[in-house]
Amino acid sequence: QSALTQPASVSGSPGQSITISCTGTSSDVGGYNYVSWYQQRPGKAPKLMIHDVSNRPSGVSHRFSGSKSGNTASLTISGLQAEDEADYYCSSYRSGSILLFGGGTKLTVL
Amino acid sequence: QVQIQQWGAGVLRPSETLSLTCAVFGEPFRGYYWHWIRQPPGKGLEWIGKINHSGSTNYNPSLESRATISEDTSENQFSLKLTSLTAADTAIYYCVRGSDFWTFEYWGQGSLVSVSS
């Protein structure tokens, strides 16, 4: 069982928006703005999509955005495209210099 | 842009020690955080630990007793040793760079380690 809780799967049609949640505790997600999101396509290494809750690295599409409320962080993908189909993982810093991952969410573009 | 090349491992037997190394090219080694992360086949990601520019290490509490991360700044390399292997340690092992402690920016290609008798 992962320390951070994500839905196992989400789906959406092209052009729609979807949101993936990542729920932790006040010792990790809720206590620090150190949440990141990663996209992993089959057979590939993960790719950083969002860091520090809501910041996009250079080169990442503006269709990807992040937010946080309380102990839950969220990744929203707007204008869904076929190429967005992948697994998505959240990560967070936890007090005591520990880093955690969520269990991952499989995004299916219908 | 930074390039990370990793090597080592393959097929190991239970109770043996895993040894993996990553080399960094294209950008300075110092000033960053260097992590090891693993992913069992078909499963999620697990942070193993990190070493930073001053040689300070932190580990996942679940692996701390078996894992050692070290660096060789003269060679721009860092390494992972994991002792007392079991089948549960079968995974793809990634080396990763971060500009801060909590963000995984650049990932190596991954090395598959299989533990089997």
Side-chain angles (χ1 to χ4, degrees), chain A residues 33-36 38 40 44-48 51-52 89 91 93 96-103, chain B residues 35 37 39 43-47 50 58-61 94 100-105 107-110:
Chain A
N33 289 325
Y34 299 154
V35 176
S36 302
Y38 302 86
Q40 186 178 34
K44 300 294 187 182
K47 174 187 175 183
L48 176 65
H51 65 93
D52 298 334
Y89 294 90
S91 74
Y93 174 88
S97 298
I98 298 168
L99 298 175
L100 308 171
F101 282 102
Chain B
H35 302 265
I37 293 168
Q39 184 173 34
K43 297 187 178 181
L45 301 166
E46 180 179 34
W47 178 71
K50 80 92 173 85
N58 295 95
Y59 296 97
N60 185 324
Y94 293 100
D100 53 50
F101 177 39
W102 53 88
T103 308
F104 309 117
E105 295 174 313
W107 297 64
Q109 78 273 21

